[in-house]
Amino acid sequence: MKLKAVVIDGELRVVHQSGVQFDAELPEFRTQGGVHIHTDRLTVTSPVLMWVKALDLLLDKMKRAGLDFSRVRALSGSGQQHGSVFWRRGASETLKHLDPDQDLHQLLQDSFSVSDSPVWMDSSSTQQCEDLQAAAGGALRLAEITGSRAYERFTGNQIAKLRQTRAEEFQDTERISLVSSFAASLFLGGYAAIDYSDGSGMNLLDIRTRNWSEICLQATAPHLDQLLGAPLPSTSVLGPVSSYFVHRYGFSESCSVVAFTGDNPASLAGMRLQPGDVAVSLGTSDTVFLWLQQPRPALEGHVFCNPVEQQEYMALLCFKNGSLTRERVRNECAGASWELFSAALRDTPLGNHGNIGFYFETMEITPPVIGVHRFDSADCEVSSLSPQVEVRAVVEGQFLSRRLHAERLGYSIIPGTRVLATGGASSNKEILQVLSDVFNAPVYTIDLSDSTCLGSAYRALHGLVAESGASFVDVVKKAPEPRLVATPHPKAKEVYDELLKRYVQLEERVVQKSHS
């Protein structure tokens, strides 16, 4: 749990970052990595009261650090997507009448019908996923409605499992929150609405109507719409901060609580994406964030409602085989030297003489394949490539995959498109040049230590003026601009448009081979 930036006197102020390490600072909850992994190795939960107590600790730290909460005009936040909180009957009254002389976790210790919340790591709801997809008319139809096929970690499937396996606790539930709306509820002193963007990660929200899908609700639990409440735009001002925080921490009574959202939507805001942009985070896993205007939900990836522009969308793709795969090829083909790796990229041509590689050293998410497959210019599979060609093959192959699957979700390059690169590999100029060439768009780097925290602060600022029609881009225009680091080669479009056609066909061969 972290706090990094707030809106003070109508301006964004970055404050000293403060956080709470669950395992180290709250050992009484006996978590590892902030969670409990159950004996079946599929069920993964986190104690709700640990989150509440962490908020107590966090605000106390900030107060001791000298932050004047009375000057904070608006606040928002983010929560890890897909987790859920089940409030016990009567909890709403407790929230309304909190005693500022007591810690929050003491006041709310009896307010949850489920003491340990399902979180994103949980994969125990396979049967419920199958049931939901059958009710919706298949996995693709469910994706067309909710933006994603059924996933075990998604909240709707977790709710269905809990209703079936823990009926008594479910019957004692008055409200179901996401982690984000749960945190907002604490500040609001009442149940906060689920925002459209985080709500898109539940397999329950119709991403086009921005209302709960009746088909999905009926397949999940009776009267579920009453337990969830009506979803609201992500820019909504939910109300003033609770009197508890006014009297205990000195917040102003006029401080606004702007809808909280998920960590991935908050990252999109933190990176300040604009229409047509794509952000590529080059880490242990590679993650692609897209700003979409006309999405095409598919069996791969996720489409969410956009957190900063109500009528548009964002998409998310995650690829497990990222930096570790690049590092393995560096070690084997470039003497474990990034300098030699970069030289190999400089010394090999765009398109790599027609050689294409697929490097899935662990089971990939998109596509679900494992194994390393290399093809020559005649599309014949070969057992090896020369070291320099191998280096370019791994980088080009990864970025062709990112582009292909982004386009399948509705991404297209438009005038003004930018690629924003973050993560460890974004410091490598030659890797970024290949990224620019494959996407045929300029690449910028953006220095962000925590895009979710910063994005939440940007959204708080936007929430203050969104009703007047001010755009998110206008609100954050004074923020530091990203740095241009690469522009596409004049022949890049011709080379990679053609290479992508071959990549599509070869990927289909790889998938068929892996599943045969």
Side-chain angles (χ1 to χ4, degrees):
M1 182 174 284
K2 299 176 183 177
L3 178 66
K4 182 172 181 176
V6 292
V7 177
I8 297 177
D9 297 340
E11 294 185 359
L12 181 69
R13 303 284 178 86
V14 177
V15 299
H16 174 71
Q17 181 165 324
S18 187
V20 175
Q21 298 296 324
F22 293 139
D23 297 359
E25 296 182 68
L26 297 170
E28 64 269 30
F29 293 99
R30 301 178 181 273
T31 58
Q32 291 183 313
V35 300
H36 293 146
I37 300 175
H38 296 229
T39 54
D40 63 1
R41 311 301 295 177
L42 299 174
T43 304
V44 183
T45 59
S46 191
V48 184
L49 280 176
M50 180 181 71
W51 297 339
V52 180
K53 193 169 184 179
L55 182 60
D56 287 329
L57 293 177
L58 180 64
L59 292 175
D60 286 340
K61 285 183 180 184
M62 299 309 299
K63 190 172 183 178
R64 289 196 301 271
L67 181 62
D68 183 0
F69 288 110
S70 70
R71 298 177 63 196
V72 178
R73 286 190 54 197
L75 63 90
S76 188
S78 67
Q80 207 164 60
Q81 286 200 271
H82 315 305
S84 48
V85 174
F86 295 77
W87 297 88
R88 176 171 283 144
R89 293 183 185 277
S92 60
E93 286 302 308
T94 302
L95 278 173
K96 291 177 185 176
H97 303 101
L98 298 172
D99 180 358
D101 292 329
Q102 297 187 55
D103 289 335
L104 205 55
H105 76 277
Q106 294 173 328
L107 295 167
L108 296 177
Q109 59 185 336
D110 297 319
S111 293
F112 306 104
S113 55
V114 178
S115 59
D116 264 34
S117 287
V119 293
W120 73 274
M121 297 170 66
D122 190 287
S123 57
S124 64
S125 61
T126 301
Q127 183 60 54
Q128 288 74 27
C129 289
E130 294 174 358
D131 294 343
L132 179 60
Q133 288 182 165
L140 182 57
R141 179 58 186 145
L142 181 65
E144 290 170 347
I145 296 170
T146 70
S148 304
R149 65 172 173 84
Y151 285 88
E152 283 85 353
R153 67 185 182 275
F154 274 37
T155 322
N157 306 305
Q158 293 292 335
I159 292 171
K161 178 198 166 193
L162 192 132
R163 179 181 71 87
Q164 295 166 17
T165 61
R166 302 171 66 179
E168 188 173 337
E169 289 99 322
F170 190 81
Q171 284 297 115
D172 195 30
T173 298
E174 177 176 86
R175 182 75 169 228
I176 301 173
S177 295
L178 295 179
V179 177
S180 58
S181 63
F182 154 75
S185 299
L186 299 180
F187 281 105
L188 195 63
Y191 295 142
I194 293 172
D195 79 292
Y196 292 161
S197 196
D198 204 9
S200 310
M202 300 173 71
N203 277 148
L204 293 175
L205 188 81
D206 185 319
I207 60 171
R208 289 181 171 81
T209 67
R210 269 94 170 160
N211 287 314
W212 304 121
S213 162
E214 195 60 39
I215 293 172
C216 297
L217 291 178
Q218 291 179 4
T220 303
H223 313 298
L224 185 55
D225 57 335
Q226 297 174 26
L227 293 177
L228 296 173
L232 287 179
S234 303
T235 55
S236 299
V237 174
L238 303 178
V241 71
S242 163
S243 61
Y244 173 86
F245 294 94
V246 173
H247 293 107
R248 186 173 180 85
Y249 293 103
F251 279 86
S252 166
E253 292 181 352
S254 62
C255 175
S256 296
V257 178
V258 177
F260 284 34
T261 193
D263 54 347
N264 290 307
S267 285
L268 179 139
M271 291 184 284
R272 306 195 308 279
L273 259 66
Q274 299 173 16
D277 282 352
V278 55
V280 181
S281 177
L282 301 170
T284 303
S285 295
D286 286 351
T287 306
V288 177
F289 294 87
L290 308 166
W291 181 301
L292 298 179
Q293 295 169 319
Q294 297 296 329
R296 294 193 298 267
L299 295 180
E300 59 197 28
H302 312 290
V303 175
F304 303 141
C305 297
N306 193 298
V308 298
E309 176 50 63
Q310 185 175 330
Q311 298 305 315
E312 299 195 4
Y313 300 87
M314 67 169 283
L316 174 67
L317 287 159
C318 187
F319 302 87
K320 285 184 181 178
N321 294 275
S323 284
L324 295 182
T325 301
R326 292 186 285 271
E327 288 173 11
R328 197 270 302 166
V329 173
R330 176 204 64 182
N331 294 342
E332 293 184 2
C333 299
S337 164
W338 283 120
E339 288 77 10
L340 293 177
F341 187 95
S342 297
L345 292 176
R346 287 194 301 270
D347 295 342
T348 47
L350 279 71
N352 208 15
H353 299 295
N355 296 288
I356 295 177
F358 297 81
Y359 298 82
F360 305 128
E361 297 176 353
T362 59
M363 177 60 75
E364 189 50 89
I365 299 170
T366 306
V369 172
I370 191 169
V372 176
H373 307 269
R374 305 171 183 88
F375 297 88
D376 63 16
S377 58
D379 292 347
C380 296
E381 188 159 5
V382 296
S383 60
S384 64
L385 298 169
S386 69
Q388 282 193 328
V389 172
E390 184 99 288
V391 167
R392 179 167 280 273
V394 69
V395 178
E396 282 191 345
Q398 288 181 329
F399 293 157
L400 283 166
S401 176
R402 310 315 180 237
R403 176 179 161 183
L404 168 63
H405 294 287
E407 289 180 354
R408 285 180 173 172
L409 286 176
Y411 171 77
S412 60
I413 297 168
I414 62 174
T417 284
R418 304 175 302 169
V419 179
L420 302 178
T422 66
S426 66
S427 62
N428 187 302
K429 183 175 68 173
E430 283 75 21
I431 289 177
L432 297 186
Q433 184 60 56
V434 179
L435 178 62
S436 178
D437 289 335
V438 170
F439 276 81
N440 191 38
V443 172
Y444 296 77
T445 56
I446 184 166
D447 184 17
L448 289 178
S449 58
D450 197 325
S451 59
T452 56
C453 285
L454 192 58
S456 297
Y458 286 151
R459 291 184 54 260
L461 188 60
H462 185 211
L464 289 177
V465 296
E467 283 194 1
S468 68
S471 72
F472 181 77
V473 173
D474 288 338
V475 167
V476 299
K477 63 185 178 183
K478 293 183 180 179
E481 286 296 317
R483 183 170 61 93
L484 177 65
V485 291
T487 56
H489 188 279
K491 293 186 178 180
K493 184 179 189 312
E494 177 185 349
V495 170
Y496 290 107
D497 283 356
E498 190 61 33
L499 204 63
L500 189 64
K501 294 175 184 176
R502 290 181 51 220
Y503 187 93
V504 171
Q505 296 172 345
L506 292 173
E507 185 185 82
E508 291 175 358
R509 282 174 55 182
V510 168
V511 171
Q512 290 172 2
K513 179 180 177 180
S514 299
H515 294 171
S516 61

